[in-house]
Amino acid sequence: FVGQPPLDNKILRAWERQYPRATGAALVNFDSVAAGIIRQVATDSAVALVDAWQSFHQINAHASFADFSHFTDRGAAAMAGLLRPQVAGALGCK
């Protein structure tokens, strides 16, 4: 989930249907905690991390996400733009 509250209820309800034993609040909290841990592990392990969270907070979530786990074409293009420099660097491309 990106952007400021209120969260998109349609997307949140769809996410809850995929995980029926978890509330929307629990899913969002889990996602937030997990993201922090992933950032810390990447830092501790000297692994490149493309952290799209901040970038996607700058754009319209409805234009970028089809649902809770799939990008629209616009969102996929934005993510590809974020990944390109890291992938090119890892492959030694100029």
Side-chain angles (χ1 to χ4, degrees):
F1 287 90
V2 298
Q4 300 300 319
L7 296 174
D8 184 320
N9 280 329
K10 180 181 173 188
I11 292 176
L12 184 58
R13 297 297 166 241
W15 206 15
E16 286 177 323
R17 282 192 293 278
Q18 295 297 314
Y19 302 95
R21 295 177 62 162
T23 65
L27 291 166
V28 171
N29 287 337
F30 176 83
D31 183 63
S32 296
V33 170
I37 292 169
I38 289 167
R39 287 183 193 99
Q40 188 60 54
V41 168
T43 298
D44 293 348
S45 303
V47 172
L49 173 69
V50 176
D51 190 353
W53 185 84
Q54 188 64 36
S55 294
F56 276 95
H57 273 72
Q58 309 298 320
I59 60 178
N60 181 332
H62 292 287
S64 299
F65 298 98
D67 58 34
F68 66 92
S69 63
H70 296 96
F71 289 115
T72 61
D73 288 347
R74 181 177 176 180
M79 179 58 93
L82 294 171
L83 291 171
R84 184 180 178 273
Q86 289 291 340
V87 172
L91 296 174
C93 300
K94 300 211 188 282

